[in-house]
């Protein structure tokens, strides 16, 4: 699969004005709020269709690491990483870079859906195991 990142070139051969024009054409609206939750996700400036940084309000390492893991399982994703800009701020930044066949926003949406499905499976299995444990414990007490 071709990478969404530009190939390395000799810096003396790069036309800076042409690069700036391409970047301006590809950029998405700066600091655009996504329709996820209660406007808790912002697309940070400089985003393109295949590479974008998202800022999550009131989130930390718990969501960041789990979401990064799930998004990296997607074969259409080239890179995904997260950071907490400062410990005193309740913000988490997530960077997604995809190959040409999908967008960063689609990869984020799929990652969120996959993570919710994974949480549902874990919750269901936990509930079944807890109920089985409680039933076995009750049987031991009556025996």
């Amino acid at each position: 699969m071709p990478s969404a990142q530009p190939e390395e070139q000799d810096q003396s051969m790069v036309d800076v004005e042409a690069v700036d024009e391409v970047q301006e054409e590809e950029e998405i609206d700066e600091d655009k709020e996504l329709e996820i939750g209660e406007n808790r996700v912002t697309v940070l400036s400089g985003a393109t269709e295949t590479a974008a940084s998202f800022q999550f309000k009131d989130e930390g390492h718990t969501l960041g690491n789990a979401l990064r893991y799930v998004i990296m399982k997607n074969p259409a994703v080239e890179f995904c990483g997260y950071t907490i800009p400062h410990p005193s701020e309740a913000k988490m930044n997530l960077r997604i870079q995809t190959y040409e066949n999908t967008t960063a926003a689609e990869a984020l949406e799929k990652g969120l859906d996959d993570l919710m499905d994974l949480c549902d499976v874990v919750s269901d299995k936990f509930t079944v195991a807890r109920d089985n444990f409680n039933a076995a414990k009750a049987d031991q007490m009556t025996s």
Side-chain angles (χ1 to χ4, degrees):
M1 290 184 159
S3 171
Q5 300 303 306
E7 305 231 346
E8 290 186 17
Q9 299 177 12
D10 181 5
Q11 290 297 328
S12 62
M13 299 176 67
V14 175
D15 181 4
V16 175
E17 289 180 24
V19 171
D20 288 341
E21 288 176 18
V22 169
Q23 287 176 343
E24 287 175 12
E25 291 173 5
E26 292 181 352
E27 284 187 6
I28 299 174
D29 297 335
E30 293 184 11
D31 297 336
K32 178 181 168 188
E33 297 278 338
L34 288 182
E35 296 298 323
I36 298 175
E38 301 162 355
N39 293 327
R40 294 180 52 199
V41 180
T42 304
V43 180
L44 299 178
S45 63
T48 65
E49 289 293 320
T50 59
S53 293
F54 304 91
Q55 186 170 76
F56 290 73
K57 296 176 188 169
D58 300 321
E59 295 297 343
H61 290 287
T62 304
L63 178 65
N65 194 37
L67 193 54
R68 178 205 56 82
Y69 175 80
V70 170
I71 290 173
M72 280 304 299
K73 292 283 192 183
N74 183 345
V77 173
E78 180 178 17
F79 170 81
C80 183
Y82 82 97
T83 185
I84 305 298
H86 194 277
S88 67
E89 294 182 273
K91 295 179 183 176
M92 183 265 299
N93 293 344
L94 183 78
R95 174 78 177 172
I96 302 174
Q97 292 172 205
T98 64
Y99 295 104
E100 299 284 330
N101 56 345
T102 190
T103 67
E106 289 170 349
L108 174 60
E109 188 173 341
K110 181 179 180 345
L112 290 168
D113 289 340
D114 290 349
L115 186 56
M116 284 191 297
D117 292 343
L118 180 63
C119 289
D120 290 343
V121 168
V122 169
S123 177
D124 292 345
K125 288 189 177 211
F126 173 81
T127 302
V128 168
R130 183 199 60 206
D131 293 346
N132 290 341
F133 175 80
N134 288 339
K137 189 175 175 183
D139 287 344
Q140 285 179 350
M141 294 178 94
T142 59
S143 302

